[in-house]
Amino acid sequence: MAHKKFEKNQTIATNDGDVQILDVLGEGGQGCVYLVSYQGSQYALKAYIDRPSKEFELNLKENVEKGSPCSSFLWPKKMLTFKDADGNEAIGYLMDLRKSNFVSFISYLTAKS
């Protein structure tokens, strides 16, 4: 069954305030990444298609709390819980937007830029 995506200009109530969907930045097997407005700034929101396991959620929460190992990494800033576009309990996280000089980790691994 295909999952619905959030719509542009849709507002999502989260455990830490409202997020407004501005656009879709990308999507893949785990979920969708949206350009969002949150507390007056723009971020990327990764929204998982299916709710991950409790172990995954705990690991994500711990990584968010620890922070990035280095300023060269884009790192989750805040974990959020909300209802997905189908109305199911969901999780995701906010991150800063990728700067134009950042290279994806996959490109780095495959020596492609």
Side-chain angles (χ1 to χ4, degrees), residues 45-108:
L45 168 66
K46 166 85 175 243
Y48 288 94
I49 291 173
D50 295 311
R51 184 130 190 188
S53 69
K54 290 292 180 193
E55 293 82 13
F56 183 95
E57 286 187 45
L58 180 59
N59 185 52
L60 178 58
K61 183 177 185 271
E62 289 174 355
N63 280 315
V64 168
E65 289 171 358
K66 286 180 189 174
S68 178
C70 166
S71 63
S72 298
F73 285 97
L74 282 174
W75 202 257
K77 297 180 81 62
K78 181 177 287 287
M79 192 168 149
L80 298 175
T81 57
F82 48 89
K83 298 275 188 190
D84 69 14
D86 292 315
N88 303 306
E89 293 291 323
I91 69 163
Y93 59 83
L94 288 176
M95 347 181 20
D96 288 326
L97 295 170
R98 187 177 79 178
K99 296 179 179 137
S100 61
N101 65 333
F102 274 49
V103 176
S104 80
F105 188 66
I106 298 301
S107 295
Y108 175 76

